[in-house]
Amino acid sequence: MSLRNNGRLSRREMLKALSLCAAGSATLGPLLTGCRDTLNTPETLERLGGVRRARLDGKPRFLIVIGAAGGASIVDSLLAVRASEAGENASKLNTFPDELVQSVDGSPFRAVKVINQLLGNIPQPVNTDQLPFVRKHKDHMLVATSVGTSVNHAIAQKRSLTGNAAWRGRTLQECVALQYGAGFPIPNVNMGMGGYSERGTDSSLPSYCYGEVVSNASFWPLGLDGSKGIKEAPPRDVVEMARRTRNTLDSQSIFGRTFENAAALQRWNEQRIVGQPALEAKDLINRLNVLPDQPPKMPLSEYGLSSSPDGDRLRNAFPYYLTDPVEGQAALAFLLLKHRVSVTVTLGPSFNVSVGGEHELIANPPLAFDFSHTDHRAAQAFMWSRVMSVVDKLIDLLKTEPFDETTGESMWDRTLIYVATEFGRTRSRPNNATAFSSGHDLNNGFVMFSPMLEGNTLLGGIDPSTTLTYGFDPRTGEPQRGKMTTNEPDIFSGVLTALGVDTSGSGLPDASAFVRS
């Protein structure tokens, strides 16, 4: 069984991780990254004092990445423009009737309402109202406007995670795993698609930083044990005896002696001799299993298995976990963080059609947000509703999950959710059309959620006469109306700064504006 993608795990790293688990330690971040005692500027020190203390307290922070595949348009959600604001250009730009763009008291954000609009040629009505979500989560929400560098799906997906190779090509997930994940069994779990699932290009990182790719969230936990779940399997001590015999025979074989110094064979042996038993000891096959014990349809107990203790509430929160892959991914993401298996988890819709969601027809349209090529407005409304729904449920679950009983911190207090879109969409439309198609556009914005962020904040802004966003100073947060150049490194740095990741020597821009004062 492959426990690591491409077998990237050294014996020293695994033993170090296991020793940390045994000692109850959460991270080797400062030791691994060479954390410095001083910051670059007085301004940075002032804004990041709280972040730096959090990083040095030895406690992990968590990152959830939601890949908004296909291009989530920020002007179809939190920065929507009313027709009356766009003047004479309104009928030819992606603006909304005034009554469908709702203001949020005391907030720079807006909420869109779409009423009874069909999803292209799919006979499914789209009815969404973003206002309850925005009101509920605005205080932990930050939108940063952006200009990307690619409108190719796979390239743009990856650049949303690397800031266009802003720091040696590392992904955000790899940076978080490096900072906080040394003591976790599988620090970086990736259930994303395309460029969202790719590793970065920095091969110097410890192997535990790279993502473990999961293709089916609901069934993946059943592969985390080599003998449990097999009817009439031998007792564990017999299995271990057989494994020891196998290892001895393999090492003495002609093949084993010939290639004993080969890196690939060494990684393979480390996986099955050290890594596999370590995972089995944590009983993850049961603790991460959302599937219910339902004889005769799903007789887990008949095979010596059980559902997670959190199974009931997760099945209530994500009732379509078996037919809607995003719901299954979200349920697993929560369990991976709760049980300290991972520090970063990636999920999100794919380009594949999913049937059997809330309306028992389409859970996910073809191409996800990119269904906007067929019907922009309905596709954006439908997909934004999906993203907001899973974010809302994850936040609610994390708020109720204790992180530290002594301090009263919840898991949510130490988690950041980053909605990583690829790019924006073109702004033009036929005269006053309510159903129209759109293409790819570099101009857009990113949304993220966390108590660690400067909440209820818009970094940058939007010109209503063009519906194009403009930039900001990442250190001060001041809007820069003439700034239309790419700022992918600013977004990358902002996420890491809010998470307390030590970026010393990285050359990343000062992104103090992202962090809660």
Side-chain angles (χ1 to χ4, degrees), residues 219 291-303 321-323:
F219 293 100
L291 300 172
D293 184 16
Q294 291 181 335
K297 181 180 178 181
M298 199 177 296
L300 295 180
S301 55
E302 190 176 324
Y303 292 85
Y321 68 98
L322 279 178
T323 55

Side-chain angles (χ1 to χ4, degrees), residues 414-433:
R414 305 186 72 85
T415 301
L416 187 149
I417 297 176
Y418 170 55
V419 180
T421 188
E422 303 166 7
F423 37 67
R425 310 295 303 193
T426 52
R427 306 299 205 265
S428 61
R429 61 170 173 155
N431 194 41
N432 283 319

Side-chain angles (χ1 to χ4, degrees), residues 218-219 222 289-293 298 300 306-308 315 321-322:
S218 295
F219 293 100
L222 299 178
N289 179 25
V290 179
L291 300 172
D293 184 16
M298 199 177 296
L300 295 180
S306 62
S307 182
S308 166
R315 290 189 292 270
Y321 68 98
L322 279 178

Side-chain angles (χ1 to χ4, degrees), residues 7 32 65 121 130 200 204 221 233 287 326 334 517:
L32 291 169
V65 174
N121 56 4
Q130 300 170 359
S204 70
R287 297 170 78 187
V326 177
F334 171 76
S517 300

